[in-house]
Amino acid sequence: MVNCCKNIRFEKVFISGLIYTAIAFVAHQIEILLTMKYYLMHQYFGAWSLVMMPSLGATPPANFFILSILFSLVTGLSLAMFYEFVKSLLAGSCCQKVCQFSCLLVVMSFIFFSLPTYLIFNAPLALLISWFFTNIIISFLSAMVFVKVLD
């Protein structure tokens, strides 16, 4: 096995990824309830994928939720592995590590998702702001999980 991976406890990475999936699912469901009006605005129907909205105004089919959960699991596993690689660079107490890692995730999300999404896609600014704040909550809660489980 590669030297960088020999100390990784993959069972704990998997557990962390599952917990991330639950956190992300609940947070996104709450966010969707609060922002549903944007998803139903006719001027934005072209912005949503056919997986999410196969026809105008239709509710997402079951396969969308299955893919959403699967993608959240992959994201959670990836972020848990990322934490495994950077945890030695984080200094301080448990709370300080949570703040440092969640800030790292939020900044990366802002740079690599929020800014390009605003420039490229036809999505309402209020929805982008909602996604950003949901991401802050998910990042903080998942950082707590990663620090507790993987340290």
Side-chain angles (χ1 to χ4, degrees):
M1 184 173 275
V2 179
N3 283 340
C4 68
C5 298
K6 70 178 181 180
N7 293 327
I8 294 176
R9 297 158 301 172
F10 289 101
E11 67 282 351
K12 291 194 176 212
V13 168
F14 186 72
I15 290 167
S16 299
L18 286 176
I19 296 169
Y20 172 91
T21 303
I23 291 169
F25 182 79
V26 170
H28 287 304
Q29 293 305 308
I30 293 169
E31 183 249 327
I32 288 168
L33 289 174
L34 297 173
T35 60
M36 183 54 74
K37 68 179 180 180
Y38 296 107
Y39 296 99
L40 299 176
M41 291 179 164
H42 293 284
Q43 65 264 36
Y44 299 115
F45 279 163
W48 314 130
S49 75
L50 292 176
V51 176
M52 183 178 100
M53 195 176 294
S55 61
L56 295 179
T59 57
N63 68 326
F64 172 77
F65 292 103
I66 293 167
L67 283 173
S68 176
I69 290 170
L70 179 64
F71 287 8
S72 289
L73 177 61
V74 170
T75 301
L77 293 172
S78 300
L79 290 176
M81 286 296 293
F82 179 62
Y83 180 78
E84 281 285 343
F85 289 123
V86 302
K87 70 181 178 183
S88 64
L89 304 173
L90 304 175
S93 68
C94 181
C95 290
Q96 290 171 323
K97 288 179 181 181
V98 168
C99 289
Q100 291 168 6
F101 191 67
S102 60
C103 285
L104 178 64
L105 293 180
V106 168
V107 168
M108 286 177 25
S109 170
F110 184 70
I111 292 169
F112 295 117
F113 175 76
S114 298
L115 294 177
T117 300
Y118 179 71
L119 290 174
I120 297 171
F121 298 105
N122 180 29
L125 181 59
L127 191 55
L128 290 174
I129 291 168
S130 172
W131 290 344
F132 181 70
F133 282 110
T134 302
N135 183 55
I136 290 172
I137 293 165
I138 293 170
S139 295
F140 182 75
L141 294 175
S142 62
M144 288 174 60
V145 169
F146 297 148
V147 170
K148 274 306 220 188
V149 173
L150 298 172
D151 265 356

